[in-house]
Amino acid sequence: MSEFERGDEVTWKSHGGQAQGTVEKEITTETEAAGRTVKASKDEPQYLVKSDRSGGEAVHKPGALHQA
């Protein structure tokens, strides 16, 4: 089972302090997301999240995200 699922509310550290948003999807292959190349795998997934405040997208490793 994944650590996070689509729709989960999460928080993460951002340049401006604490950010909050929603998990859009789990990424398990190398792909382009949020304007950069994401090197992810099934063993080391990353998550595309959408900020509640700005609406911007970012990709984070599971260790950077916390359940809101």
Side-chain angles (χ1 to χ4, degrees):
M1 184 175 151
S2 299
E3 204 163 329
F4 297 99
E5 295 182 6
R6 180 180 169 96
D8 283 354
E9 289 291 322
V10 292
T11 62
W12 63 93
K13 289 186 180 177
S14 180
H15 302 294
Q18 189 85 350
Q20 183 167 335
T22 306
V23 174
E24 295 289 306
K25 71 177 184 176
E26 178 181 44
I27 300 171
T28 57
T29 60
E30 185 172 323
T31 189
E32 294 288 323
R36 67 179 182 91
T37 300
V38 177
K39 295 185 186 278
S41 67
K42 288 185 179 186
D43 291 333
E44 294 185 21
Q46 295 195 40
Y47 294 90
L48 179 67
V49 295
K50 185 173 183 179
S51 170
D52 288 346
R53 185 188 304 185
S54 70
E57 293 182 333
V59 177
H60 292 290
K61 293 181 179 180
L65 299 173
H66 306 281
Q67 290 284 350

